[in-house]
Amino acid sequence: MDIRSTLASRAYDALRTTQGHDDSSPASYFASAGAEFASTLKAGEEAAMSAMTGDYDPHALVTALAQSELAVETAVTIRNKVVEAYQEILRMAV
């Protein structure tokens, strides 16, 4: 699987192309990343449902499920990093 097809790299490319525009705020970045995550999961679910009825190409099914798995792993990694950063902030002496 090509790295360019991952959720993180697509979100990074989207952010890089919007540099200098008004919508390049962190909130819009996370909103677009969340929308991309949801669409990736939805495509994987649709592929799985179509495969159950026999209307889907097996190769496309494997690709869609691999992209969904990668998207979930990316989201979990980001969540873990945010939790680690929050815990580090809590450990700071005031």
Side-chain angles (χ1 to χ4, degrees):
M1 181 173 286
D2 190 9
I3 189 71
R4 289 174 287 191
S5 67
T6 63
L7 175 68
S9 65
R10 283 187 274 171
Y12 175 74
D13 288 340
L15 179 65
R16 192 172 46 164
T17 58
T18 60
Q19 291 288 333
H21 294 100
D22 292 336
D23 63 346
S24 64
S25 69
S28 67
Y29 170 74
F30 287 117
S32 66
E36 183 70 26
F37 176 73
S39 68
T40 301
L41 290 183
K42 184 176 181 178
E45 289 175 355
E46 289 173 354
M49 286 188 289
S50 295
M52 285 184 224
T53 61
D55 298 334
Y56 211 72
D57 178 33
H59 178 69
L61 173 66
V62 171
T63 302
L65 293 179
Q67 286 178 343
S68 295
E69 180 182 6
L70 195 56
V72 169
E73 288 176 0
T74 302
V76 168
T77 301
I78 290 170
R79 183 212 53 189
N80 290 343
K81 291 293 182 181
V82 168
V83 169
E84 286 176 20
Y86 180 72
Q87 288 173 344
E88 190 68 27
I89 290 170
L90 290 178
R91 281 187 229 128
M92 288 182 180
V94 178

